[in-house]
Amino acid sequence: AIDPQFTENRAQVDTHKGHDVWGPVEEPEKLGVHGTHVAVDFDICLADGACLEDCPVDVFEWVETPDHPESERKADPANETQCIDCMLCVDVCPVDAIDVDAG
Ligand code: SF4
Ligand code: F3S
Ligand code: ZN
């Protein structure tokens, strides 16, 4: 599962489409965590897609990640500022790849 303390245990190494990327990142095998309010651990996501289907405000968009060992696309929190903290994505992800900081 994603580490809920990722902002303390990882360093912000990049930005992607306006959100933070938390390392370590060593492409293509290691991709880190994308997003901060809505955070997806790309190294855990296996492209189930439930988060894209269920988010009521379309926070997530697919991003292609060729040659990643878990899956060749990931749910990117491209519109994390739209999040309404419903927590559906956290509940439906089968591998607990998503953390939403509703606090
Ligand atoms: Fe979308 Fe709700 Fe997840 Fe926010 S908590 S990203 S609104 S499903
Ligand atoms: Fe990935 Fe979980 Fe969404 S596996 S596509 S973050 S439901
Ligand atoms: Zn991203």
Side-chain angles (χ1 to χ4, degrees), residues 40-41 44-52 60 62 71 73-76 89 92-98:
V40 180
D41 191 324
I44 296 175
C45 173
L46 39 65
D48 176 86
C51 57
L52 275 95
F60 303 98
W62 289 121
S71 58
R73 60 181 185 170
K74 307 293 177 183
D76 194 33
C89 57
V92 297
C93 178
V95 288
D96 292 331
I98 307 174

Side-chain angles (χ1 to χ4, degrees), residues 3 12 18-19 22-23 28 37 40 45 53 57-58 63 65 67 74 78-80 82-85 87 90 98 101:
D3 173 10
Q12 190 211 330
H19 53 261
W22 302 84
H37 181 74
V40 180
C45 173
E53 285 172 26
V57 292
D58 295 333
V63 63
T65 57
D67 300 323
K74 307 293 177 183
N79 307 307
E80 71 171 351
Q82 303 300 309
C83 177
I84 57 171
D85 298 343
M87 304 311 255
V90 172
I98 307 174
D101 179 15

